[in-house]
Amino acid sequence: MAFDTTVKVIGDDVIYQFNPQLKQYALGDTGFVKNNAGSYVMKRSLEPEKGLDNAIKLKVVVDKALTGIKIKTVNPSGNATVNIFKHQKHVELEKLYHFYLNELVDREILKIK
């Protein structure tokens, strides 16, 4: 999956747009960590009672040039996309999902298109 400037997560009606004026320090302030490829990754558990390793996660990745983004909801191992909007616990999952993404909007990392 390539990095894009606008992202729509499977099942979500909201389209998120990457802020092109983003500064690197803003990512560190919001919990992003740099991976071996130089990209910035933030993972958040959507099932906090299970812990990060065993839960469905929100995964947000910003490329190392700070020009694009990927947003996915993934299974506990992180290798498959999960449509949380059709999940049996979708109300709880959606609540945390929107909380985390709204935080990124408030911090001006993302914009709602």
Side-chain angles (χ1 to χ4, degrees):
M1 182 176 188
F3 289 94
D4 293 313
T5 56
T6 58
V7 177
K8 184 175 184 285
V9 176
I10 295 171
D12 194 359
D13 295 332
V14 180
I15 298 173
Y16 294 95
Q17 183 174 12
F18 181 70
N19 180 359
Q21 283 80 39
L22 178 67
K23 303 295 183 210
Q24 181 178 351
Y25 64 84
L27 295 173
D29 290 348
T30 52
F32 283 82
V33 293
K34 201 171 194 175
N35 67 12
N36 292 340
S39 298
Y40 299 88
V41 181
M42 180 188 80
K43 294 179 188 175
R44 295 288 184 258
S45 173
L46 297 179
E47 299 175 294
E49 69 279 1
K50 293 184 177 182
L52 188 61
D53 290 339
N54 299 315
I56 294 172
K57 300 180 231 345
L58 170 65
K59 183 176 180 180
V60 181
V61 183
V62 177
D63 69 341
K64 64 181 173 182
L66 304 180
T67 58
I69 197 163
K70 296 180 198 178
I71 303 173
K72 295 192 270 185
T73 50
V74 296
N75 67 354
S77 62
N79 61 4
T81 302
V82 175
N83 184 346
I84 63 168
F85 298 91
K86 291 187 177 181
H87 194 276
Q88 62 188 14
K89 297 189 328 181
H90 69 92
V91 173
E92 296 90 8
L93 296 173
E94 288 177 40
K95 184 177 178 181
L96 274 174
Y97 165 84
H98 286 294
F99 174 80
Y100 292 134
L101 289 179
N102 286 337
E103 179 183 15
L104 296 179
V105 170
D106 292 343
R107 299 295 295 266
E108 298 180 354
I109 292 169
L110 297 175
K111 299 176 184 180
I112 294 177
K113 190 170 180 184

